[in-house]
Amino acid sequence: MKKLLFIINPNSGKKKSKSDLIDALVSFSAHYQVEVYCTTKQLDCLQMIQNKGSLYDVIVVSGGDGTLNEAVNGLISCEKKPLLGYIPTGTMNDFSKNFDLTPSFEQTAKKIVQNRTFKFDIGKINNYYFAYVAAFGAFTNVSYETQRELKENLGDIAYLLKGVSELPNLKPYHVKMKIDEQNYENDVLMGLIVNGYRVSGMDVIEKDDHLMNDGVFDLILVEWTDNLLEWIHYPIGLLKPNITAKFVKRIKAKDIEIDFDSPISWTLDGEKGEENTHFEVNNLPQALEILY
């Protein structure tokens, strides 16, 4: 009988009832030999998969996008890569929207055991990996600096409140980029490297069935302007992906090299990433396979 490892982050999002969990286990147990592991601290999920991932046919993780990011980094390191299952129980759950997965243990478990799979691209940035977004600049720290208690109690509004508090800190970042064979240099407010269509609860890319496995990223660069009246173009350009807006540049790219004047930290799938001045970003086509 095939083996399934069920990794649960009990601190992710709103707490689920025991009956929900039991329903999922009943579904899994009908098809797999199941083992359950509950994380107790950050990087538990990553280390568990790195150490034992190749022993399983399927690894299902329950948690937010941060837990998912740990799973992706762990799975990439496995010599024999298990199939990935994901039950999204975080606040935003952006990645899961690409596959219409729900926070319901029972409903998503029933989807997983149907054995329908999809091979999806993974992003690599220096020595780390991301599933759906790597971002730098304005507001990109909001996801990991917002207090857990606020996220649990207020949901999406907690991110909005934190974002408002960041307004006085807005500044330009000077970047030099090699985007495939194209050179780019400018002052930007923020940059997003997107695999999928949704970031921070917003649809920033036109939805398409092949966004997650087309072998390229959608690079969004929000260019800096000192004219505050021109900032109206920012939300239009970000939230209306089918409209060409001033100061919002969109580029399809597979490989990107980026240099900053001083060290800057990135956000990877909503979690704090490495701080450095030089970054190499590569698309790894169809590197992992998800059950959905």
Side-chain angles (χ1 to χ4, degrees):
M1 196 173 193
K2 291 185 176 181
K3 297 177 66 176
L4 180 149
L5 174 63
F6 189 12
I7 300 177
I8 302 169
N9 178 354
N11 295 315
S12 174
K14 296 180 179 179
K15 304 298 185 293
K16 299 292 181 179
S17 70
K18 291 181 180 179
S19 61
D20 291 334
L21 177 58
I22 291 172
D23 288 337
L25 290 173
V26 169
S27 294
F28 292 149
S29 297
H31 298 82
Y32 299 98
Q33 177 184 333
V34 180
E35 294 182 32
V36 178
Y37 179 78
C38 290
T39 63
T40 59
K41 60 183 183 301
Q42 194 173 15
L43 301 183
D44 260 5
C45 176
L46 168 65
Q47 292 167 0
M48 182 64 175
I49 296 175
Q50 285 178 331
N51 293 336
K52 297 184 177 181
S54 294
L55 300 176
Y56 300 92
D57 300 285
V58 175
I59 294 180
V60 178
V61 295
S62 169
D65 288 329
T67 306
L68 173 75
N69 181 265
E70 288 190 30
V72 164
N73 277 268
L75 288 166
I76 282 290
S77 70
C78 292
E79 184 176 351
K80 181 180 79 70
K81 292 177 173 54
L83 298 175
L84 170 66
Y86 179 45
I87 302 177
T89 58
T91 306
M92 288 297 185
N93 302 317
D94 291 315
F95 175 84
S96 68
K97 305 302 182 187
N98 293 280
F99 303 100
D100 295 322
L101 301 174
T102 75
S104 166
F105 279 104
E106 182 182 11
Q107 291 178 18
T108 303
K110 287 180 178 178
K111 283 188 175 184
I112 288 171
V113 299
Q114 289 175 0
N115 208 37
R116 183 173 66 162
T117 64
F118 182 91
K119 291 183 178 179
F120 64 100
D121 303 340
I122 289 296
K124 181 181 182 183
I125 178 167
N126 289 356
N127 295 314
Y128 298 89
Y129 300 87
F130 60 94
Y132 72 95
V133 67
F136 70 88
F139 306 116
T140 56
N141 62 324
V142 168
S143 59
Y144 60 82
E145 288 189 358
T146 303
Q147 295 179 10
R148 180 181 299 277
E149 292 78 9
L150 286 177
K151 289 191 285 187
E152 290 178 354
N153 294 323
L154 299 179
D156 295 356
I157 296 176
Y159 291 111
L160 177 62
L161 295 175
K162 176 62 178 174
V164 170
S165 73
E166 290 294 311
L167 289 173
N169 302 322
L170 297 184
K171 64 179 181 180
Y173 299 84
H174 189 76
V175 298
K176 296 179 182 178
M177 294 187 174
K178 184 176 181 181
I179 307 167
D180 291 332
E181 298 304 316
Q182 176 184 351
N183 292 320
Y184 174 89
E185 182 174 357
N186 208 341
D187 290 334
V188 301
L189 178 65
M190 67 184 298
L192 303 173
I193 300 174
V194 185
N195 181 41
Y197 75 95
R198 193 175 178 88
V199 176
S200 296
M202 302 179 294
D203 295 357
V204 297
I205 305 294
E206 286 192 83
K207 192 174 182 180
D208 184 277
D209 290 341
H210 300 290
L211 279 177
M212 296 291 292
N213 69 350
D214 59 2
V216 294
F217 300 117
D218 284 279
L219 171 63
I220 304 175
L221 298 170
V222 180
E223 298 176 330
W224 178 263
T225 173
D226 292 320
N227 185 347
L228 298 184
L229 296 178
E230 297 273 26
W231 285 21
I232 187 62
H233 295 286
Y234 293 161
I236 295 173
L238 280 171
L239 301 178
K240 300 289 184 181
N242 59 332
I243 294 178
T244 300
K246 192 176 181 181
F247 302 117
V248 180
K249 193 176 186 69
R250 293 173 176 267
I251 306 169
K252 295 279 188 181
K254 185 180 189 304
D255 301 301
I256 308 167
E257 289 187 36
I258 309 173
D259 288 289
F260 296 92
D261 294 336
S262 57
I264 188 172
S265 61
W266 285 66
T267 300
L268 306 182
D269 296 337
E271 297 297 307
K272 187 175 183 179
E274 177 188 18
E275 183 174 297
N276 214 323
T277 58
H278 178 78
F279 297 88
E280 296 184 12
V281 188
N282 310 107
N283 186 290
L284 308 182
Q286 301 183 29
L288 294 178
E289 195 166 4
I290 189 170
L291 291 157
Y292 72 112

